[in-house]
Amino acid sequence: MMAGRRVGPLMRNNSSGAAFIKSKVGIAVALGILLGFAFAFFYPHGFFVSATSARLQTSSLRSVISQVVSTSCEPSEKVKALKFEFSEASEKNAELQKQVKELTSKLRYAEQIKQQAETQVAILGQQHKAGPFGTVKSLRTNLAVIPDESVNPRLSAILDKVAVQKELIVTLANSNVKEMLEVQFTTIKKLGIPNYLVVALDDEIVDLCESNDIAFYKRDPDEGLDSVGKSGGNHAVSSLKFQILREFLQLGYGVLLSDVDIVYLQNPFNHLYRDSDVESMTDGHNNMTAYGYDDVFDEPSMGWARYAHTMRIWVYNSGFFYIRPTIPSIELLDRVAYRLAHETAWDQAVFNEELFFPSHPGYDGLFASRRTMDYYIFMNSKVLFKTVRKDGELRKKVKPVIVHVNYHPDKLPRMRAIVEFYVNGDQEALKSFPDGSEK
């Protein structure tokens, strides 16, 4: 019986050692191949590169970088052209935005007119039976415009603080009338009238208002209007107000426009009717001249028809009037401002012509309602110096709301004398002045 072959310990050890040696060789070969590939990839020109070759490579790289940097940093003609086109496009865009803003404003204004017309048609379009004799009254008071704060947000914010019940006194002033303005706002402050605003036409008036705690509004720069406002006299500044007032009305505020040569003795807002587009003081000095009369014109050559009847009224004073924020009121300001910009004319004459001239061939009259103020309450200086101061009864009974020194050139001393007479009780204060302007 054959016994199985037994393998001794020595033979088993030799076999496993040979396998181990073979595996080490395989690993070493694999690592060698991998390292070869790595060196070939990272050092394609060999590991030991000459210094000259390295310098050439570095120089070439710097040249490429320099070209890239130069190309990216130095503006080419095309870039310059693109910049110029961009600049032109920006200017055109700004101009288009300005035109859009103007068109938007005109569109809002047209929409207001449309709404105003629709509302009036709704009121007037209803048919009514005529009531008994003496009871029929037509519509006198036009509707107020819809306030548009986008017209002037800065002014809107000021008016919101100053106005009382959407009303205020507005005075335009430059340094030429500084002393008269001081007399005026002193009387305003003494009466405790809060809704008073100075439209400051130069920096000196701004400083004056700030130092006396007077509300003021300094307009945004406007080359055309600024030259008039800063250096113009009374009449030049007077014509300027028609352009400035428009924004106040568009913002929905009723304005009591006041020249600086006016002394305040009572709060004027307690004496307004507010039933008309324009409520103005008169240059008239009695019932006939102030409120109108039939003036007969005599032409003897006409024989039987020699007498022609005419209706006359002395003009409204454009230096003191209350104007409501209505479409006819804004149209009045536009008409007067346009004519003053294109004609050599007195603003008060134009103001009255546009208010009173009727429609006729080639001309559409203004459909604005108007009221004449009581000439003893809203007094001009002719009434005071020619009549009231000489009449003992009138001196006692009549205390005007305001006195406008419109008939006399020596305005400042007369304003001070009026304050002495009515405020401080000096009965002799008015006596030294002549009736008129003679010295």
Side-chain angles (χ1 to χ4, degrees), residues 350-364:
V350 175
F351 176 69
N352 280 271
E353 287 170 1
E354 293 299 335
L355 267 177
F356 287 97
F357 280 179
S359 297
H360 55 262
Y363 175 80
D364 290 330

Side-chain angles (χ1 to χ4, degrees), residues 172 199 201 219 240-248:
L172 278 70
V199 177
L201 301 176
R219 296 169 37 259
L240 182 64
K241 65 196 172 198
F242 295 99
Q243 299 180 54
I244 295 176
L245 278 183
R246 192 186 204 278
E247 290 185 337
F248 287 78

Side-chain angles (χ1 to χ4, degrees), residues 282-319:
T282 174
D283 275 359
H285 58 93
N286 54 31
N287 286 350
M288 289 177 59
T289 57
Y291 309 136
Y293 63 101
D294 178 12
D295 183 36
V296 180
F297 177 75
D298 184 9
E299 191 176 6
S301 63
M302 288 298 294
W304 174 81
R306 64 182 291 180
Y307 300 110
H309 291 258
T310 67
M311 300 306 300
R312 298 191 64 182
I313 183 173
W314 285 31
V315 294
Y316 282 177
N317 192 289
S318 62

Side-chain angles (χ1 to χ4, degrees), residues 154-164 168 194-196 215 253:
R154 186 167 66 86
L155 177 59
S156 178
I158 294 172
L159 297 184
D160 187 55
K161 295 178 181 178
V162 176
V164 175
L168 73 161
N195 47 338
Y196 174 76
Y253 289 84

Side-chain angles (χ1 to χ4, degrees), residues 112-380:
Q112 287 181 351
I113 295 175
K114 179 185 175 184
Q115 291 176 353
Q116 176 88 0
E118 288 175 349
T119 304
Q120 289 187 337
V121 166
I123 295 172
L124 300 175
Q126 298 175 4
Q127 291 182 305
H128 301 277
K129 290 183 178 180
F133 180 82
T135 65
V136 177
K137 289 182 181 286
S138 61
L139 182 68
R140 289 178 177 81
T141 308
N142 286 301
L143 298 173
V145 298
I146 300 169
D148 184 2
E149 294 183 4
S150 66
V151 169
N152 190 331
R154 186 167 66 86
L155 177 59
S156 178
I158 294 172
L159 297 184
D160 187 55
K161 295 178 181 178
V162 176
V164 175
Q165 295 182 346
K166 303 288 283 187
E167 295 178 327
L168 73 161
I169 300 168
V170 174
T171 298
L172 278 70
N174 61 21
S175 55
N176 293 335
V177 295
K178 180 180 177 180
E179 291 182 298
M180 287 191 286
L181 179 64
E182 286 182 286
V183 174
Q184 181 178 99
F185 69 58
T186 299
T187 62
I188 289 282
K189 292 178 76 172
K190 190 175 183 66
L191 292 168
I193 300 173
N195 47 338
Y196 174 76
L197 180 74
V198 175
V199 177
L201 301 176
D202 56 36
D203 293 334
E204 191 171 343
I205 296 299
V206 170
D207 295 339
L208 178 67
C209 291
E210 287 180 334
S211 61
N212 287 276
D213 196 25
I214 299 295
F216 70 91
Y217 165 61
K218 183 73 159 52
R219 296 169 37 259
D220 292 331
D222 185 311
E223 184 176 349
L225 299 183
D226 284 348
S227 61
V228 175
K230 291 179 179 179
S231 60
N234 288 344
H235 289 303
V237 172
S238 185
S239 63
L240 182 64
K241 65 196 172 198
F242 295 99
Q243 299 180 54
I244 295 176
L245 278 183
R246 192 186 204 278
E247 290 185 337
F248 287 78
L249 300 194
Q250 284 182 279
L251 292 170
Y253 289 84
V255 174
L256 187 57
L257 189 281
S258 172
D259 280 356
V260 293
D261 56 345
I262 293 175
V263 174
Y264 285 78
L265 303 169
Q266 298 182 60
N267 190 327
F269 293 105
N270 297 334
H271 299 269
L272 297 175
Y273 285 81
R274 301 175 178 84
D275 63 347
S276 304
D277 296 306
V278 177
E279 197 168 338
S280 179
M281 74 172 295
T282 174
D283 275 359
H285 58 93
N286 54 31
N287 286 350
M288 289 177 59
T289 57
Y291 309 136
Y293 63 101
D294 178 12
D295 183 36
V296 180
F297 177 75
D298 184 9
E299 191 176 6
S301 63
M302 288 298 294
W304 174 81
R306 64 182 291 180
Y307 300 110
H309 291 258
T310 67
M311 300 306 300
R312 298 191 64 182
I313 183 173
W314 285 31
V315 294
Y316 282 177
N317 192 289
S318 62
F320 188 86
F321 59 87
Y322 177 74
I323 186 165
R324 294 180 59 249
T326 66
I327 293 298
S329 295
I330 294 174
E331 185 181 1
L332 170 65
L333 298 179
D334 287 352
R335 287 185 177 211
V336 175
Y338 179 84
R339 286 188 56 187
L340 292 175
H342 294 83
E343 302 174 15
T344 302
W346 182 28
D347 68 284
Q348 182 159 293
V350 175
F351 176 69
N352 280 271
E353 287 170 1
E354 293 299 335
L355 267 177
F356 287 97
F357 280 179
S359 297
H360 55 262
Y363 175 80
D364 290 330
L366 181 72
F367 294 93
S369 56
R370 53 196 183 272
R371 170 180 282 273
T372 306
M373 292 176 169
D374 186 326
Y375 62 90
Y376 280 134
I377 302 299
F378 298 94
M379 190 182 294
N380 62 59

